[in-house]
Amino acid sequence: MNSKLSNYHSSLHDLMILAVIFIIVSVITGFLVTYFLAAKYSLFERGAYGIAIGLGLQTWLVYLFSLIWKLQFICIYFSIALSLLFCILFFIINRSDIKLKILYEATDIKKDFLLNKTSYFAHIAVFAFFTVIFCRLFYRTIIWKETGIYVGLSNNYGDLPLHLAYITSFAWGDNVPPLDPVFAGKKLTYPILSDFLSAIFLKSGLNFRNILFIPGFLLTISFYGILYYFTYRITKKRLAATLSTFIFFLSGGFGFYYFFQDLANTSGSLWEFLSNLPQNYTKIPPLNYHWITPLTCLNVPQRSFLFGFPFTMLIFLFLYTGIQKKQWKEFLFAGVVAGALPFFHTHSFLAMLMVTIPLGIIYWDWRKWFLFFFRLLYSHFRRYGIFPVMSTVNVSLNFNSDGWRGMKISCGSGSKTRAYSGFL
């Protein structure tokens, strides 16, 4: 019995090592891919971009192999092997050039740090502040207790069961190509690659808390860096770049008025108050006050936003840089990311089109924009060879005077009814 238990823990340890290797190889691959771009980027920028690009690329590779073998270890091994082969060949072919670029970028950071020490320390403090928040939030995505399973955020009650159904169906149910776990026999049209990444980690031996925590934490850290550098490239001001992170991540109406009001009336310390907030300041029902924050209502519960936010911001950043620096490689790279976006988050894809189409008209250069839109449309139409066009879905809503609404969804021969609280 003891030997079997020891073998079980040993195999579990080996699988966890596989997950660590998967993450490291993904980030390194994404970091190196940024050197195909033509404009000048700092090492910090490449690191932030590389996390999102590398994890997205690696997830996509595993999914493609899973179309042949389902989600098995061989798919993860092959994707890691291909990425390692790319890294080795890239170093061999561009060894001297990459070495010089990395040394130059490191020297540039050192010089900039010596000239702006106060600014760097301030940003390190801000980054540490948000890192703690991200870690705290995503680590409480799911909470296991003897009495049951709990969530750290009330907004996650409805979303988490669906995402867990997707994740477990990929990892344990051989659900590739994916069928909808809710509507039996219907092809899944949800952008599933964010959940597929968690399924890879589940297959690699991580527990449910970590398969939700690790992708959320890493991709939100990546998005923080992308948002910061996007704002910095536009404004050329570090203060504006830092403020943009506060404005985005801490947005959610004017609940801060009641926050400071409660803080002024508290008898305990600041830490005690922050550790035990008396109410949710983005949702105060007695005041009919309903706002959302991206972190608690989008990043954590709606998991497709984990890739949607950083990829969309990357597209805007590459297009802005391509327009300013007149670099065609940035347009092509933005088109590749945009073409992959529907697999990760469809809403972000639609929002991105609303920005890029007018942008292409305003800053017209048909050769560069052809590279962007051709690559985007080619990838998008290729999408339907793997993800079929959405099936017909009928939705009916019923409201009454109390603000309750019932929703009935019909898909094919099946239907599902839900009732939940809402407001107009």
Side-chain angles (χ1 to χ4, degrees):
M1 182 67 180
N2 289 334
S3 63
K4 288 183 179 179
L5 190 62
S6 176
N7 291 335
Y8 170 77
H9 285 300
S10 177
S11 61
L12 189 63
H13 181 263
D14 292 341
L15 289 175
M16 292 177 69
I17 292 175
L18 175 63
V20 173
I21 293 173
F22 181 90
I23 294 170
I24 293 172
V25 171
S26 299
V27 173
I28 293 174
T29 302
F31 177 81
L32 292 178
V33 165
T34 63
Y35 282 97
F36 285 108
L37 297 165
K40 178 184 174 183
Y41 300 93
S42 72
L43 282 177
F44 292 144
E45 279 185 280
R46 296 187 191 278
Y49 307 164
I51 294 174
I53 293 170
L55 287 174
L57 177 61
Q58 202 76 356
T59 304
W60 178 242
L61 284 174
V62 177
Y63 180 77
L64 290 180
F65 287 126
S66 298
L67 293 174
I68 304 171
W69 296 298
K70 309 299 182 184
L71 182 52
Q72 304 297 331
F73 289 115
I74 188 173
C75 303
I76 303 174
Y77 296 148
F78 270 32
S79 69
I80 292 174
L82 274 179
S83 295
L84 284 174
L85 180 62
F86 161 78
C87 293
I88 292 169
L89 291 176
F90 189 83
F91 270 120
I92 292 174
I93 296 172
N94 304 284
R95 182 178 178 182
S96 58
D97 187 38
I98 293 300
K99 185 178 179 181
L100 286 174
K101 282 186 177 180
I102 291 176
L103 288 174
Y104 175 78
E105 289 163 2
T107 304
D108 202 35
I109 289 175
K110 182 180 178 181
K111 291 179 180 178
D112 193 42
F113 171 76
L114 293 174
L115 293 173
N116 303 281
K117 287 184 179 181
T118 304
S119 176
Y120 267 80
F121 284 124
H123 183 64
I124 289 171
V126 172
F127 178 72
F129 167 75
F130 278 109
T131 300
V132 171
I133 292 178
F134 299 156
C135 184
R136 176 72 172 171
L137 281 176
F138 285 103
Y139 195 68
R140 292 172 57 82
T141 302
I142 186 170
I143 303 170
W144 292 85
K145 294 183 178 180
E146 293 181 358
T147 53
I149 302 174
Y150 298 83
V151 294
L153 296 170
S154 59
N155 297 310
N156 214 11
Y157 273 117
D159 296 81
L160 185 60
L162 182 66
H163 289 295
L164 290 178
Y166 291 161
I167 292 167
T168 52
S169 73
F170 301 144
W172 297 338
D174 293 336
N175 188 21
V176 182
L179 296 176
D180 197 319
V182 178
F183 301 108
K186 295 296 178 181
K187 293 181 179 180
L188 182 61
T189 53
Y190 184 83
I192 51 91
L193 288 187
S194 291
D195 286 328
F196 199 80
L197 175 58
S198 292
I200 294 170
F201 289 137
L202 183 62
K203 196 75 176 181
S204 301
L206 299 184
N207 59 34
F208 279 97
R209 168 171 276 183
N210 287 329
I211 68 171
L212 299 173
F213 165 71
I214 292 174
F217 179 72
L218 289 177
L219 289 168
T220 307
I221 286 288
S222 173
F223 175 57
Y224 171 92
I226 295 168
L227 176 62
Y228 176 90
Y229 283 108
F230 174 69
T231 310
Y232 180 72
R233 282 184 172 272
I234 292 176
T235 64
K236 303 297 187 293
K237 297 178 184 286
R238 288 188 174 87
L239 178 60
T242 302
L243 287 176
S244 70
T245 60
F246 280 96
I247 292 171
F248 180 86
F249 288 113
L250 301 183
S251 64
F254 295 93
F256 61 85
Y257 170 79
Y258 302 98
F259 170 83
F260 287 113
Q261 191 177 66
D262 290 343
L263 179 60
N265 297 326
T266 187
S267 57
S269 65
L270 175 62
W271 179 251
E272 289 175 348
F273 177 78
L274 293 176
S275 301
N276 299 279
L277 293 176
Q279 61 180 324
N280 183 347
Y281 294 100
T282 60
K283 186 175 183 180
I284 309 175
L287 300 175
N288 197 25
Y289 191 91
H290 300 269
W291 293 80
I292 65 170
T293 58
L295 274 177
T296 60
C297 295
L298 299 178
N299 290 67
V300 175
Q302 302 185 42
R303 296 183 53 77
S304 52
F305 272 105
L306 293 176
F307 277 109
F309 278 141
F311 276 5
T312 304
M313 197 59 65
L314 268 179
I315 294 165
F316 295 156
L317 187 148
F318 290 147
L319 289 177
Y320 175 81
T321 306
I323 292 170
Q324 292 293 311
K325 306 296 183 182
K326 303 185 184 304
Q327 298 290 352
W328 64 268
K329 288 184 178 180
E330 267 67 11
F331 279 85
L332 179 61
F333 208 90
V336 172
V337 178
L341 193 53
F343 293 95
F344 293 94
H345 193 218
T346 311
H347 291 79
S348 293
F349 176 77
L350 297 174
M352 177 271 301
L353 287 180
M354 295 177 190
V355 175
T356 54
I357 291 175
L359 197 66
I361 296 172
I362 296 170
Y363 297 98
W364 180 247
D365 183 335
W366 75 267
R367 293 179 181 84
K368 294 184 176 68
W369 284 104
F370 174 80
L371 289 174
F372 172 74
F373 283 109
F374 174 77
R375 194 67 190 88
L376 182 159
L377 294 174
Y378 174 77
S379 299
H380 178 65
F381 287 120
R382 286 283 295 175
R383 170 182 189 261
Y384 294 111
I386 298 173
F387 290 172
V389 180
M390 185 169 289
S391 305
T392 301
V393 177
N394 298 316
V395 181
S396 61
L397 298 174
N398 295 311
F399 300 86
N400 61 25
S401 59
D402 297 328
W404 286 85
R405 53 185 174 179
M407 178 173 69
K408 183 177 182 181
I409 307 175
S410 302
C411 180
S413 59
S415 65
K416 179 183 178 184
T417 303
R418 296 179 61 190
Y420 55 93
S421 177
F423 70 95
L424 291 176

